[in-house]
Structures are given as C-alpha cells and as structure tokens.
Amino acid sequence: PRPVLRKKTPWVHPKSFRGPSARRVDRQQSQRRQAEHPRLERRLTRKFSEYYRREDVVVSVGSWLKKYFDWNKRETYENCFTDHGYDDTSFIAGMREGDLKEIGIADGFHRTKLMGEIKKLPEYIADYKVPENTREWLKSVGLYQYTQNFLDQDVVTKWDLAIVKSIDVSELKEKYGITKKAHVKRIMNSLKNMRNPNDREADIE
C-alpha cells in the first residue's frame, strides 16, 4: 500500500491549544499574584497617567546615586541630599539645578548629569484628602518622624490640622523644629492642598 502523506503542522505555542479549564487556572493565578502585591497607585501628570507600585519607583538616595557615581563621590553627594531632607527619589523629583547648587553640589558637570536623571523621576503627588489625625497625615507624606513635634504642640485631630493650614515656613521651623528644606516643602505643600473631595471626586472613589 502507498504510504499516507501527512501535512506538516506549523509550530504553534502550546498555550494556544489550552482549553477553558487551563485558561481559568491562568486567570486564577493572575488574580492571586495581583492580591499578593501592594495596590497599584495612580500617578497623574500634565502629560499622562500611569499605574505604578511605590516600591518599584521610590528608592533611597544612596541607591539612586549608586548608578551614576563611584563610592567616594556617592557618599559625599548622599550626605548633601540627606542633610537637606532629600531622603529618597520621591523628595528628589522636581528638584531644579539651583536646588542642587544650594545643597552643595558645586560641580557643574555633575549638576547637569543629575538634572538629566531627575527629569526622568515620576512626579510625587500627595493625597489631598483631609486625614483623620496627625499621625495618619504624617505617615501618608512619608514624614512620620515628626509626629511628636506636632503632638507636643497639641496638633492631634483633623480639626487641629485645619488650623495649622495657615502657618508659614518660619513658624514651621521655629515652633515645630522642622528645618530640612525638602521636608519643609513637602509639609507646606501638603497643608496647602489638603481639602475634602468634591462630589465628583467622591463618586469616582
């Protein structure tokens, strides 16, 4: 008898043949992975929006500088940043060349190099909603270490925070003992933008 000639089957990825049961397992595994990871945060900028995890983006200033400088220069510049409150990339984002010069980075080439990298960092956007208390507020802006400074001045509840909204930079430094430039800037911006969501924002949430 003549041999039966069979057509060659083109190579197809095995997952293409998977039935509904296998696809359901894939979907369950995907949902489990999402549940295990922290909630994705939304970042809004003037140009676009994207979802990202904080731990994927925010790194310490030492880890960030490690990519661009040797050990000696990195240690020097890390001190320049941290002495002024630029503890991680969420504080560094939005810095200008004048800020770099002010914190002690005198080399013009290094300032230009750092500015190129700073522009790539995602913009930090604090939550505008009025928190329940001072502890919650300072934790949300990454400055929990100043909790006792505010508690010592009897700033405890959200009603107290409503009064504190009117303070100026000099009072924040003298009365609350917060002097690092980046920390002062974040606290002042947070107080300035703190408000209750309007009806449209409340519906979205």
Side-chain angles (χ1 to χ4, degrees):
R2 296 176 62 184
V4 178
L5 298 177
R6 298 178 180 274
K7 273 188 174 182
K8 287 185 178 181
T9 304
W11 183 86
V12 183
H13 194 278
K15 280 195 173 182
S16 303
F17 295 101
R18 307 186 79 184
S21 297
R23 290 197 296 271
R24 184 170 60 254
V25 171
D26 285 344
R27 187 165 58 252
Q28 290 171 350
Q29 290 175 344
S30 176
Q31 291 171 349
R32 193 178 303 115
R33 284 194 298 269
Q34 289 177 4
E36 289 171 355
H37 285 83
R39 182 182 175 184
L40 297 180
E41 301 177 36
R42 188 171 187 177
R43 174 169 69 88
L44 300 177
T45 67
R46 288 185 294 274
K47 295 183 179 179
F48 60 93
S49 303
E50 69 176 6
Y51 287 89
Y52 72 103
R53 286 196 303 271
R54 177 182 170 84
E55 66 272 19
D56 291 338
V57 178
V58 178
V59 297
S60 68
V61 63
S63 300
W64 180 66
L65 291 171
K66 187 177 180 180
K67 304 175 185 177
Y68 316 116
F69 299 103
D70 61 25
W71 186 85
N72 289 329
K73 188 62 68 176
R74 182 173 76 245
E75 186 178 28
T76 302
Y77 284 169
E78 182 177 357
N79 291 333
C80 290
F81 279 98
T82 55
D83 287 348
H84 292 82
Y86 297 96
D87 307 313
D88 58 45
T89 49
S90 73
F91 288 95
I92 296 170
M95 288 184 76
R96 299 185 179 183
E97 188 169 357
D99 297 324
L100 294 178
K101 193 172 183 179
E102 186 178 336
I103 67 174
I105 300 178
D107 190 302
F109 171 74
H110 288 168
R111 286 200 305 270
T112 303
K113 182 177 181 179
L114 286 169
M115 281 307 304
E117 299 305 322
I118 288 172
K119 289 176 181 177
K120 298 176 185 177
L121 295 174
E123 180 184 359
Y124 172 82
I125 299 178
D127 192 352
Y128 60 83
K129 290 185 293 185
V130 178
E132 289 301 314
N133 52 59
T134 300
R135 292 179 185 275
E136 181 184 318
W137 167 56
L138 290 171
K139 186 176 180 180
S140 71
V141 297
L143 294 172
Y144 191 75
Q145 67 268 34
Y146 294 121
T147 301
Q148 197 59 45
N149 300 48
F150 283 88
L151 297 182
D152 288 344
Q153 300 297 329
D154 298 322
V155 181
V156 181
T157 68
K158 62 181 178 181
W159 311 113
D160 298 328
L161 290 173
I163 299 172
V164 173
K165 276 176 65 72
S166 60
I167 67 171
D168 55 22
V169 173
S170 60
E171 187 178 358
L172 186 65
K173 291 180 177 180
E174 295 170 9
K175 187 175 180 179
Y176 297 91
I178 301 170
T179 56
K180 292 186 176 182
K181 181 179 179 180
H183 296 175
V184 170
K185 182 180 178 182
R186 178 165 292 188
I187 286 176
M188 293 302 294
N189 285 342
S190 177
L191 288 171
K192 178 183 175 182
N193 296 319
M194 192 184 294
R195 59 184 175 80
N196 288 313
N198 57 39
D199 293 340
R200 182 174 176 274
E201 292 166 337
D203 290 340
I204 292 173
E205 294 173 0

